[in-house]
């Protein structure tokens, strides 16, 4: 198993007091699970076949966030980017993303 | 509206166990999870269990935890476009996992809720099954880290990486239907991006799950 991700968190450039906790984030996550380390090949990172179990899954998303005392309240529009593009989805959560 | 995940847990904490610097936690939990990432399938999961932890703070930033987790899981895949009976042939309806874990965590973040700089490191070793019983027996080792890098204009770049290996041992589990016909044999592993503050299992809705043909468990 190898997992990796990167996330940009971008605070609102407008610093009005009531907008202070409001921010914006964009992220990309990627990963997969392989049976053996020797099964990991470069093709797994370029495969566009949904039926390829070794193809690296990549998910991207973006959305606003509000900082609360118990952690950020997030709402994201997300979609699977690889191996095949999926429909957009809306998801929300409370708490740090990681 | 369909909720993707419902999770509830509660912990009983003894901060000074036996008047020592060790913290004890008992955490029962319940989770229902419907995965609709693939429009062809709805994967229904129900997890319940109890987790015991003994934690020691080595210093302000570092802690070591010994855990014992008992998980009872039920799962069902419902096909939305194809013959629904197919799911019965590849998915075990239920399984149990009993595991021991030893973890080392180092947290150098400036804020656990909204970190702007710092990093975390986590090393986990687990053993499940064997003398602990349960459906599957395996050893699992994971290492992970997150890094928060402040950039210009107040932007923050947050990166993370984790990797692990799982090593099944012992007899392979077999699953049977009520008729007694073995239909599914495999050793399974599910690992997800793991924010420590979310669930005992450390799952998030952003996990890029393997395809339906890859059985998932934890």
């Amino acid at each position: 198993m190898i997992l990796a991700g990167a996330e940009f968190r971008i605070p609102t450039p407008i610093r009005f007091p009531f907008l202070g906790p409001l921010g914006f984030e964009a992220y990309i996550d990627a990963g997969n699970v392989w049976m053996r380390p020797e099964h990991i090949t470069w093709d797994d990172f370029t495969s566009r076949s949904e039926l390829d179990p070794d193809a690296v899954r990549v998910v991207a998303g973006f959305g606003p966030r509000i900082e609360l005392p118990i952690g950020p309240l997030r709402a994201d529009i997300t979609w699977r980017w690889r191996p095949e593009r999926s429909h957009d989805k809306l998801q929300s959560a409370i708490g740090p993303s990681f | 509206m369909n909720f993707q995940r419902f999770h509830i847990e509660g912990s009983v904490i003894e901060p000074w166990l036996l008047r020592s610097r060790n913290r004890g936690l008992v955490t029962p939990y319940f989770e229902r999870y419907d995965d609709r990432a693939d429009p062809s399938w709805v994967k229904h999961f129900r997890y319940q269990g109890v987790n015991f932890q003994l934690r020691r703070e080595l210093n302000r930033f570092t802690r070591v935890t010994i855990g014992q987790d008992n998980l009872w899981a039920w799962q069902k895949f419902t096909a939305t476009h194809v013959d629904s009976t197919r799911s019965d042939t590849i998915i075990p309806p239920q399984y149990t996992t009993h595991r021991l874990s030893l973890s080392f965590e180092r947290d150098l973040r400036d804020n656990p809720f909204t970190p702007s700089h710092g990093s975390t490191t986590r090393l986990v070793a687990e053993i499940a099954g064997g003398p602990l019983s349960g459906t599957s027996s395996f050893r699992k080792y994971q290492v992970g880290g997150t890094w928060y890098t402040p950039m210009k204009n107040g932007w923050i770049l947050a990166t993370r990486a984790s990797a692990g290996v799982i090593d099944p041992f012992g007899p392979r589990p077999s699953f049977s239907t009520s008729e007694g016909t073995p239909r599914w044999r495999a050793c399974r592993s599910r690992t997800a991006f793991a924010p420590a503050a979310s669930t005992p299992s450390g799952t998030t809705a952003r996990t890029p799950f393997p395809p339906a043909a890859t059985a998932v468990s934890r």
Side-chain angles (χ1 to χ4, degrees), chain A residues 1-11 27 29-31 53 57 59 67 69-72 74 80 89 91 96-98, chain B residues 36-37 112-115 142 146 148 151 154-164 191-193 195 205-206 208-209 211:
Chain A
M1 174 200 56
I2 294 178
L3 300 172
E7 173 175 325
F8 268 110
R9 292 211 315 269
I10 307 168
Y27 62 83
D29 290 338
R57 266 56 184 172
V59 177
E67 303 294 347
I70 57 173
R74 298 176 284 121
R80 187 178 65 239
K89 291 185 177 182
Q91 64 182 23
S97 52
F98 64 90
Chain B
R36 296 179 172 83
F113 294 117
T114 56
Q142 296 177 84
T146 58
Y148 300 87
M151 303 177 74
W155 291 28
I156 298 165
L157 172 63
T159 55
R160 66 181 164 190
S162 64
T191 306
F193 301 138
R206 282 167 40 182
F209 280 96

Side-chain angles (χ1 to χ4, degrees), chain B residues 83-102:
Chain B
D83 182 5
S84 63
T85 59
R86 179 185 163 200
S87 67
D88 296 335
T89 64
I90 60 174
I91 304 301
Q94 63 187 59
Y95 63 88
T96 61
T97 302
H98 306 288
R99 74 182 80 192
L100 277 174
S101 64
L102 174 65

Side-chain angles (χ1 to χ4, degrees), chain B residues 90-213:
Chain B
I90 60 174
I91 304 301
Q94 63 187 59
Y95 63 88
T96 61
T97 302
H98 306 288
R99 74 182 80 192
L100 277 174
S101 64
L102 174 65
S103 65
F104 170 88
E105 294 172 276
R106 186 164 174 81
D107 189 344
L108 299 175
R109 295 174 296 177
D110 60 336
N111 185 317
F113 294 117
T114 56
S116 59
H117 62 83
S119 65
T120 66
T121 306
R122 190 163 187 257
L123 307 171
V124 184
E126 296 181 7
I127 183 169
L132 302 172
S133 73
T135 306
S136 301
S137 299
F138 58 85
R139 288 178 286 263
K140 188 161 71 173
Y141 310 95
Q142 296 177 84
V143 56
T146 58
W147 300 268
Y148 300 87
T149 308
M151 303 177 74
K152 289 190 295 186
N153 303 322
W155 291 28
I156 298 165
L157 172 63
T159 55
R160 66 181 164 190
S162 64
V165 295
I166 184 169
D167 177 27
F169 67 91
R172 303 180 70 184
S174 62
F175 301 92
S176 302
T177 65
S178 57
E179 293 81 19
T181 304
R183 291 187 172 184
W184 195 92
R185 295 170 66 88
C187 296
R188 297 149 298 135
S189 170
R190 171 193 177 193
T191 306
F193 301 138
S198 60
T199 70
S201 55
T203 57
T204 75
R206 282 167 40 182
T207 302
F209 280 96

